[in-house]
Amino acid sequence: SQTIHQWPATLVQPVGSPLSLECTVEGTSNPNLYWYRQAAGRGLQLLFYSVGIGQISSEVPQNLSASRPQDRQFILSSKKLLLSDSGFYLCAWSWTGLSYNEQFFGPGTRLTVL
Amino acid sequence: SQELEQSPQSLIVQEGKNLTINCTSSKTLYGLYWYKQKYGEGLIFLMMLQKGGEEKSHEKITAKLDEKKQQSSLHITASQPSHAGIYLCGADGMGRGGSQGNLIFGKGTKLSVKP
């Protein structure tokens, strides 16, 4: 069976510090991978998605970047965090080549920027 | 761009009561996904609807997609405290189905069930 992991579970960082959140998927190969942010009152917003190693699409301009160094690893980064980067970050994966887009979500990382 | 509107934003029901959550799209839906989220946790997939008029059930939860494929409802029968959480509807953001691309989500409906 497939599982998706995220770490850390919670993170408190000062403004201006760097960020690295990691997501890994087990039990499947060549998945589509996604990073979402969930902020209070704003719903779930897609940040990045990837259809393969080194292939990253950004949905919104922002202070964050994503990388996919391995097939089942997706990393969200920032060089300098802003207060507005606070939120709940969710990683998700989906099968490729299907006619539908069912996505499976990780447990999330709660980021607080002070 | 496509937007999903969920109603109500929040709902408090007595245990045992039925309830309905709605999700309305500004454009035709090519795939509608219902998820449940407990606070501070990831999303749990509930059901997916693709065809106009389609209806699916799992335990006490039934989801429907209307014939025009612009509105979906999630109905819970005889609610229990375990049903409490945030329900989100999602749709293919590319507007054409397929597994590549993002899902766009409604802002969610927070359900509380009083024992």
Side-chain angles (χ1 to χ4, degrees):
Chain A
S1 63
Q2 300 79 34
T3 55
I4 178 169
H5 304 280
Q6 286 186 245
W7 62 89
T10 59
L11 193 58
V12 180
Q13 292 285 95
V15 170
S17 64
L19 173 74
S20 181
L21 303 182
E22 190 166 341
C23 170
T24 57
V25 181
E26 295 177 356
T28 185
S29 59
N30 195 32
N32 295 322
L33 295 172
Y34 309 84
W35 277 113
Y36 289 88
R37 177 169 59 203
Q38 191 174 34
R42 297 191 62 184
L44 203 60
Q45 182 186 38
L46 178 71
L47 302 175
F48 301 95
Y49 73 91
S50 171
V51 299
I53 295 174
Q55 299 179 64
I56 310 292
S57 296
S58 174
E59 288 295 304
V60 292
Q62 57 211 317
N63 184 42
L64 303 168
S65 62
S67 62
R68 185 171 177 173
Q70 299 180 41
D71 182 43
R72 291 169 290 175
Q73 184 184 31
F74 206 21
I75 296 173
L76 184 69
S77 304
S78 174
K79 291 182 179 178
K80 287 186 179 181
L81 284 168
L82 305 172
L83 285 174
S84 58
D85 292 323
S86 293
F88 191 52
Y89 288 82
L90 288 158
C91 180
W93 73 273
S94 69
W95 301 100
T96 54
L98 299 180
S99 63
Y100 53 88
N101 198 11
E102 178 183 344
Q103 295 182 12
F104 304 92
F105 285 78
T109 295
R110 172 78 56 193
L111 172 64
T112 303
V113 182
L114 302 176
Chain B
S1 61
Q2 188 170 21
E3 293 183 354
L4 296 178
E5 185 92 16
Q6 280 188 243
S7 62
Q9 288 184 329
S10 64
L11 193 54
I12 302 173
V13 300
Q14 198 71 37
E15 183 177 357
K17 296 294 186 183
N18 303 336
L19 63 106
T20 300
I21 297 168
N22 294 301
C23 176
T24 302
S25 171
S26 57
K27 295 184 179 180
T28 300
L29 293 161
Y30 288 92
L32 190 286
Y33 307 81
W34 282 102
Y35 288 87
K36 179 186 175 184
Q37 183 183 30
K38 292 194 173 181
Y39 180 76
E41 299 182 11
L43 278 64
I44 299 169
F45 173 77
L46 295 175
M47 275 172 278
M48 174 186 69
L49 303 164
Q50 287 186 291
K51 300 176 184 177
E54 187 175 8
E55 179 176 321
K56 287 186 178 178
S57 294
H58 177 66
E59 297 180 344
K60 294 184 178 180
I61 301 176
T62 300
K64 300 178 185 179
L65 182 61
D66 74 341
E67 289 288 345
K68 292 184 179 180
K69 294 172 65 175
Q70 283 195 274
Q71 187 168 27
S72 178
S73 61
L74 188 80
H75 184 78
I76 299 178
T77 304
S79 58
Q80 300 170 355
S82 61
H83 287 127
I86 300 170
Y87 289 82
L88 295 112
C89 63
D92 175 26
M94 304 286 284
R96 56 177 171 80
S99 64
Q100 182 173 326
N102 62 300
L103 288 179
I104 59 165
F105 287 88
K107 291 187 177 180
T109 295
K110 183 179 178 181
L111 172 64
S112 301
V113 180
K114 288 185 172 181

